[in-house]
mmCIF file of all heavy atoms in Angstrom:
data_model
loop_
_atom_site.group_PDB
_atom_site.id
_atom_site.type_symbol
_atom_site.label_atom_id
_atom_site.label_comp_id
_atom_site.label_asym_id
_atom_site.label_seq_id
_atom_site.Cartn_x
_atom_site.Cartn_y
_atom_site.Cartn_z
ATOM 1 N N LYS S 13 -9.935 -0.169 41.841
ATOM 2 C CA LYS S 13 -10.554 -1.465 41.954
ATOM 3 C C LYS S 13 -11.746 -1.649 41.028
ATOM 4 O O LYS S 13 -12.369 -2.681 40.957
ATOM 5 C CB LYS S 13 -10.899 -1.786 43.408
ATOM 6 C CG LYS S 13 -12.062 -1.008 43.962
ATOM 7 C CD LYS S 13 -12.493 -1.651 45.277
ATOM 8 C CE LYS S 13 -13.555 -0.790 45.920
ATOM 9 N NZ LYS S 13 -14.327 -1.424 46.918
ATOM 10 N N TYR S 14 -12.177 -0.536 40.397
ATOM 11 C CA TYR S 14 -13.362 -0.648 39.516
ATOM 12 C C TYR S 14 -12.920 -0.846 38.071
ATOM 13 O O TYR S 14 -13.694 -0.702 37.172
ATOM 14 C CB TYR S 14 -14.213 0.616 39.645
ATOM 15 C CG TYR S 14 -14.575 0.904 41.097
ATOM 16 C CD1 TYR S 14 -13.975 1.887 41.780
ATOM 17 C CD2 TYR S 14 -15.502 0.093 41.725
ATOM 18 C CE1 TYR S 14 -14.314 2.120 43.141
ATOM 19 C CE2 TYR S 14 -15.873 0.283 43.003
ATOM 20 C CZ TYR S 14 -15.250 1.292 43.778
ATOM 21 O OH TYR S 14 -15.583 1.498 45.012
ATOM 22 N N GLY S 15 -11.603 -1.157 37.902
ATOM 23 C CA GLY S 15 -11.049 -1.144 36.523
ATOM 24 C C GLY S 15 -11.302 -2.368 35.715
ATOM 25 O O GLY S 15 -10.558 -2.716 34.782
ATOM 26 N N PHE S 16 -12.335 -3.147 36.007
ATOM 27 C CA PHE S 16 -12.614 -4.331 35.213
ATOM 28 C C PHE S 16 -13.520 -4.006 34.026
ATOM 29 O O PHE S 16 -14.246 -2.962 34.054
ATOM 30 C CB PHE S 16 -13.250 -5.418 36.073
ATOM 31 C CG PHE S 16 -14.494 -4.859 36.747
ATOM 32 C CD1 PHE S 16 -15.725 -4.941 36.065
ATOM 33 C CD2 PHE S 16 -14.434 -4.308 38.027
ATOM 34 C CE1 PHE S 16 -16.829 -4.427 36.708
ATOM 35 C CE2 PHE S 16 -15.563 -3.797 38.594
ATOM 36 C CZ PHE S 16 -16.807 -3.850 37.966
ATOM 37 N N THR S 17 -13.506 -4.845 33.005
ATOM 38 C CA THR S 17 -14.533 -4.662 31.971
ATOM 39 C C THR S 17 -15.483 -5.862 31.982
ATOM 40 O O THR S 17 -15.114 -6.930 32.477
ATOM 41 C CB THR S 17 -13.888 -4.668 30.529
ATOM 42 O OG1 THR S 17 -12.903 -5.666 30.472
ATOM 43 C CG2 THR S 17 -13.248 -3.347 30.248
ATOM 44 N N THR S 18 -16.610 -5.666 31.516
ATOM 45 C CA THR S 18 -17.580 -6.791 31.465
ATOM 46 C C THR S 18 -17.752 -7.195 30.027
ATOM 47 O O THR S 18 -17.879 -6.354 29.178
ATOM 48 C CB THR S 18 -18.894 -6.385 32.064
ATOM 49 O OG1 THR S 18 -18.693 -5.826 33.322
ATOM 50 C CG2 THR S 18 -19.828 -7.546 32.254
ATOM 51 N N ASP S 19 -17.712 -8.514 29.801
ATOM 52 C CA ASP S 19 -17.746 -9.011 28.458
ATOM 53 C C ASP S 19 -19.214 -9.292 28.124
ATOM 54 O O ASP S 19 -19.745 -10.362 28.320
ATOM 55 C CB ASP S 19 -16.945 -10.320 28.473
ATOM 56 C CG ASP S 19 -16.684 -10.788 27.080
ATOM 57 O OD1 ASP S 19 -16.913 -9.943 26.125
ATOM 58 O OD2 ASP S 19 -16.277 -11.911 26.899
ATOM 59 N N ILE S 20 -19.874 -8.290 27.613
ATOM 60 C CA ILE S 20 -21.223 -8.533 27.158
ATOM 61 C C ILE S 20 -21.394 -7.951 25.776
ATOM 62 O O ILE S 20 -20.717 -7.062 25.363
ATOM 63 C CB ILE S 20 -22.286 -7.897 28.069
ATOM 64 C CG1 ILE S 20 -21.814 -6.678 28.713
ATOM 65 C CG2 ILE S 20 -22.875 -8.908 29.046
ATOM 66 C CD1 ILE S 20 -22.768 -6.070 29.689
ATOM 67 N N GLU S 21 -22.345 -8.557 25.041
ATOM 68 C CA GLU S 21 -22.578 -8.113 23.706
ATOM 69 C C GLU S 21 -23.189 -6.746 23.653
ATOM 70 O O GLU S 21 -24.109 -6.444 24.406
ATOM 71 C CB GLU S 21 -23.507 -9.073 23.025
ATOM 72 C CG GLU S 21 -22.758 -10.041 22.101
ATOM 73 C CD GLU S 21 -23.770 -10.846 21.298
ATOM 74 O OE1 GLU S 21 -24.405 -11.752 21.883
ATOM 75 O OE2 GLU S 21 -23.959 -10.493 20.120
ATOM 76 N N ASN S 22 -22.686 -5.906 22.791
ATOM 77 C CA ASN S 22 -23.215 -4.548 22.641
ATOM 78 C C ASN S 22 -23.878 -4.286 21.351
ATOM 79 O O ASN S 22 -23.518 -4.867 20.340
ATOM 80 C CB ASN S 22 -22.094 -3.504 22.797
ATOM 81 C CG ASN S 22 -21.543 -3.461 24.233
ATOM 82 O OD1 ASN S 22 -22.337 -3.454 25.128
ATOM 83 N ND2 ASN S 22 -20.253 -3.434 24.382
ATOM 84 N N ILE S 23 -24.882 -3.446 21.405
ATOM 85 C CA ILE S 23 -25.386 -2.850 20.183
ATOM 86 C C ILE S 23 -24.789 -1.475 20.090
ATOM 87 O O ILE S 23 -24.900 -0.682 21.067
ATOM 88 C CB ILE S 23 -26.929 -2.784 20.222
ATOM 89 C CG1 ILE S 23 -27.541 -4.151 20.314
ATOM 90 C CG2 ILE S 23 -27.428 -1.940 19.039
ATOM 91 C CD1 ILE S 23 -29.011 -4.105 20.446
ATOM 92 N N ARG S 24 -24.226 -1.152 18.922
ATOM 93 C CA ARG S 24 -23.623 0.150 18.780
ATOM 94 C C ARG S 24 -24.150 0.864 17.598
ATOM 95 O O ARG S 24 -24.466 0.243 16.582
ATOM 96 C CB ARG S 24 -22.111 -0.044 18.576
ATOM 97 C CG ARG S 24 -21.338 -0.186 19.817
ATOM 98 C CD ARG S 24 -19.872 -0.399 19.466
ATOM 99 N NE ARG S 24 -19.081 -0.167 20.676
ATOM 100 C CZ ARG S 24 -17.778 -0.425 20.734
ATOM 101 N NH1 ARG S 24 -17.149 -0.905 19.673
ATOM 102 N NH2 ARG S 24 -17.118 -0.187 21.800
ATOM 103 N N ALA S 25 -24.218 2.161 17.738
ATOM 104 C CA ALA S 25 -24.447 3.007 16.536
ATOM 105 C C ALA S 25 -23.149 3.054 15.736
ATOM 106 O O ALA S 25 -22.098 2.817 16.334
ATOM 107 C CB ALA S 25 -24.851 4.426 16.958
#
Side-chain angles (χ1 to χ4, degrees):
Chain S
K13 73 166 175 164
Y14 306 105
F16 55 87
T17 44
T18 308
D19 192 13
I20 30 185
E21 257 190 285
N22 288 317
I23 294 178
R24 276 177 164 172

